[in-house]
Amino acid sequence: MGIHLIAYRGNVLLSDEIELTAHLATLLRMENIGVLLGAGASVGCGGKTMAQLWEDFKSSSPSEYQWLCRNKFVDAPVPPVMPQTAPVPPGIPQAASLPPGMPKPAPAAPGVSQSAPPNVESLLDTLAIALAEWERAGSIEKDEGKKARAAIYRALVRASFLDESWWNTPEGVAHSEDRLSAHRLLLQRLTSARQPGQSSPWLFTTNYDLAIEWAADSIDMNVINGFLGLHSRRFTPQSFDLGFRNVQAKGEAQFGSYNVYLAKLHGSLTWKEVSGQYYEIQATEAQEEIQTFVKGDTDKLAFTVLPSAAKYIQTVGFVLGELFRRYSEFLARPQSALLVSGYGFGDEHINRLLLSALLNPTFQLVVYLPEFSGLEDVSKLPTAAQKLLSLQSPRVTFVGGGGDAYFGSFVEHLPEPSIYNDDLRQLQERLKALDTATNPNEGGSS
């Protein structure tokens, strides 16, 4: 039997999906709403999780993987333990051999590790330190190390490329593309919940792919991602302080927002550094150079900011430093809510900011984590998730249950705008009834 939806707000079990949706409806009406998306959010449109990425690296670059094992950068694969056969005492009949034609049990695949995949960021950080030392000492391991690093980068890019056909035309992705339906629905439900005077939603992501941008393009939604310009889009952080509005809108038409803010905390496949400045390049222009790198024709890629734990140093730079500052600033705002989906807590910088955000007394957090199955045993969850759960704060909600906590289910749990209208109408009727009961003489017969 599969795991069903399970949700805890603090240490209180939410009774059903309706109660969870009601809680999310309340959060979407808060002054500031944001979403943090990890690799799991892009699996439905062709992306890979970090575990799948690592398996892709091992299968596509076996010699580089073995080099990493030999040099202790990753744990060597653990061979499966075969049960030892005890000696058979005299007089006891031997077990019969397999009949002719009966297939023998398949042996374990060579090189298959029984352990979890490594933290790719920590691995790249360790590798970068080793390469710097080998460069200084003139070690012969330098070239092999560079090959291994390039192979990991290629696996990262392949995991983020999604669908090659989406890169080949200026039309981008059609509005009918089913694989981006969840991203489109997320954008629509976030923006439609905004009230007059409230800021537009924020989307923070560790992904390099263009799923959010393509989904927004397909429904004509404006995305403010820090880059300004028409033909030459240069990173200009002041753009995060701007927004769109409909100058014709009055009354009910003022509800909702006309843009989202997007902060790609690890960079993007279409960002390129030129003379110390970062530019956003059209996908049709970037894809040829990216494909050349993926095919192995070159070991250098000018696009994207690739992950490593050394981002603590890199983030003092212009682009990533500004994006992490915006993330930290959002978490500190009063009346803020952050919804997390597809994120496996693999970035320590993000995790620390997330934990410290709970010092903000009005901050609310909702985490969708498929492997979460209740409070009884959380030992197999990421350390940061365990810390959040140990607080048992009513401002922290965890949703698990396997497929019921995947990105698609998370989006479906977000309420439709019509729910807000019904709730508002019911509230108005209750207030009117209360006012009539309190002031019967002003009840208003005319």
Side-chain angles (χ1 to χ4, degrees), residues 89 141 148 153 192 223 320 337 339 349 380 393 397 401 423 426 439:
E141 295 288 357
Y153 285 167
S192 61
V223 176
L320 293 185
L339 315 179
H349 196 175
K380 295 182 180 179
S393 169
T397 301
D423 289 346
Q426 293 175 12
N439 305 291

Side-chain angles (χ1 to χ4, degrees), residues 269-286:
L269 281 178
T270 53
W271 294 1
K272 188 171 186 177
E273 184 181 2
V274 180
S275 302
Q277 296 281 350
Y278 275 89
Y279 294 87
E280 185 177 35
I281 309 300
Q282 287 289 330
T284 50
E285 179 183 344

Side-chain angles (χ1 to χ4, degrees), residues 30 35 50 81 154 161 195 209 221 243 269 288 304 306 310 319 323 329 359 371 376 382 391 404-405 408 429:
M30 293 181 69
V35 175
M50 296 306 289
V81 178
R154 288 190 183 95
F161 208 67
Q195 304 298 296
D209 61 57
M221 183 173 292
L269 281 178
E288 182 176 353
T304 145
L306 295 163
V319 179
L323 296 178
E329 181 186 70
L359 296 174
E371 54 266 41
E376 294 78 15
L391 300 175
D404 284 329
E429 291 174 355

Side-chain angles (χ1 to χ4, degrees), residues 298-320:
T298 178
D299 285 344
K300 295 183 179 180
L301 180 65
F303 290 95
T304 145
V305 180
L306 295 163
S308 89
K311 273 198 176 68
Y312 288 112
I313 299 174
Q314 295 176 13
T315 48
V316 301
F318 183 42
V319 179
L320 293 185

